[in-house]
Amino acid sequence: MPRAPRNSRLATAEARSNLSTQKEPYWHQIIEGTFLGLAKGKRGSAWVVRQRVGTGYKSRKVGHPDDKLAADGDVVLSHKQAVAVAHKIAQGAEPATRGHYGDGLTLNEIVDQYLQHRMLHPGGRTGRVMSKASADMTRGLWARNGAGSVGQVPAARLNAAALRKWHAGIVASPPTKRGRVTQYDGADPTQRASRQASANRILTICKAALEHARVSGLTPETAPDFWRRVKPFKIDEGAEQAPRMLEPGEITRLLNAAAPDIRELLKAGLMTGARYGELVSMRVADYSDESGTVRIAQSKTGKVLRQPLTDEGRAYFDRMTAGRDPRELILQRSDGRPWGKSDARRPVMLAAKTAALADVSFKATRATYGKLLLLATLNIELVAKALGHSDSRITRKHYAQFLPSELASGIANMRALGIEAKTAKVSNLR
């Protein structure tokens, strides 16, 4: 093996960790006309060889540095091994490309390319293009639970066992909220079911990305489809915690305790079932007093709903839009500024605390709307449509508990056994 030219910035994993991310690789000349570079991005690093060809240069990725994994001489290379590959390329040898390694893409790179693809092409369960909001939410979910661990591994080094271990590890670790680790008791059935549901969502992203890589040629068709053998957790739906829904008396207490601008925002959520981001982007022109509907541009699905309003809802939007410019935002802060992404979080928490209401966030308005609509219609499909759900499965999981119980009706009609005398109902003393 030729002697490896010394470069203190690239020679060791510790030295490479001190380099900042940048678009251009950190180049190191091996011999005249041939350079070895470290391409360091936000999602990982790669060894790149650049060779002069005519008046320009040709670059190719030759492997990943041994920063996270031990060098294997194929996909993961030490600096010395990468220098040896560069020498071979300079001498005219074409390094063998192992079909099952593809170009050595990490799982992070595969997930990123999958999300870029889904924002441009219809697909998934809904058969629609993924909205930017959904893609950003998915990226955040992956960043918290996969990017720093399994995401850094080249896809060629993964197998079903590694994916199962990572999937199970998500359930064993506490969730984070706004960058902070939250309290978590894995022995609590409700908390564990919630964490399993999150792990399943992340696994779905991972499997879809790997399948896309296979179909689109990012990894060869001959590569093993190990991800198909990794199954999601079976979750006891009864153990999952339903979203917080407000009772009529709680609605009154919350509105009374809220600041005026927050009160209007909460009312709009209760009248429409729209999400916070959808409400604060509504303009006066989105309300039609003739049809009694309001236009909701759904952030998650990209669909546009024309939501019918109750008489009370029409009166509310009549008041909020009367005499205003059609281009103006319907809901604004008390100082006239538009609502920002997280501006309402603390004020809603303060109102809930003042009203002595537990576990209430702005999301409770949407869940409450769904519950009240179901109680009024007894039609789960209609509620799914009003909330803009892609199908009724998620709706049924959270709201079916409010449908009349056939079991309860049947038991009520059972014939009495005559073994217990019927007595007047007596209230317990308190």
Side-chain angles (χ1 to χ4, degrees), residues 202-315:
I202 301 160
L203 177 64
T204 299
I205 296 166
C206 178
K207 293 173 70 172
L210 286 166
E211 190 67 33
H212 166 70
R214 180 187 179 92
V215 171
S216 59
L218 296 176
T219 55
E221 292 183 4
T222 54
D225 53 354
F226 60 88
W227 58 89
R228 295 182 181 178
R229 302 196 302 275
V230 181
K231 303 300 180 184
F233 293 112
K234 291 184 178 180
I235 302 172
D236 179 7
E237 293 189 0
E240 279 196 90
Q241 188 172 9
R244 180 69 157 93
M245 303 173 194
L246 299 170
E247 298 298 329
E250 292 180 321
I251 294 173
T252 302
R253 284 159 53 195
L254 181 64
L255 294 178
N256 287 342
D261 51 358
I262 286 290
R263 187 181 304 130
E264 299 297 354
L265 199 55
L266 290 167
K267 284 183 180 180
L270 291 165
M271 299 288 185
T272 63
R275 300 176 179 89
Y276 170 77
E278 297 159 359
L279 289 170
V280 298
S281 63
M282 280 184 187
R283 300 189 181 273
V284 172
D286 290 328
Y287 170 60
S288 171
D289 58 349
E290 292 184 2
S291 62
T293 60
V294 64
R295 179 182 177 274
I296 301 175
Q298 286 218 309
S299 55
K300 275 195 174 182
T301 64
K303 294 191 299 183
V304 175
L305 300 179
R306 180 57 73 173
Q307 193 80 305
L309 299 167
T310 62
D311 290 342
E312 188 179 23
R314 296 180 72 161

Side-chain angles (χ1 to χ4, degrees), residues 379-398:
N379 188 328
I380 202 85
E381 299 293 336
L382 191 149
V383 174
K385 184 176 181 180
L387 293 176
H389 290 164
S390 301
D391 57 50
S392 61
R393 285 183 294 177
I394 186 70
T395 320
R396 190 172 298 279
K397 182 171 73 171
H398 292 319

Side-chain angles (χ1 to χ4, degrees), residues 30-31 34-36 49 81-91:
I30 304 301
I31 58 175
T34 302
F35 298 79
L36 174 67
V49 172
Q81 290 170 336
V83 169
V85 172
H87 271 287
K88 290 180 181 179
I89 292 175
Q91 294 165 7

Side-chain angles (χ1 to χ4, degrees), residues 84-137:
V85 172
H87 271 287
K88 290 180 181 179
I89 292 175
Q91 294 165 7
E94 192 69 25
T97 300
R98 291 159 179 77
H100 66 288
Y101 281 160
D103 66 351
L105 289 175
T106 65
L107 188 52
N108 277 337
E109 292 169 321
I110 286 174
V111 169
D112 187 58
Q113 293 197 35
Y114 165 70
L115 293 177
Q116 291 181 34
H117 172 82
R118 286 286 286 106
M119 290 177 68
L120 297 173
H121 301 90
R125 199 172 63 239
T126 64
R128 289 191 295 270
V129 171
M130 182 182 286
S131 68
K132 183 180 182 302
S134 288
D136 289 345
M137 188 180 300

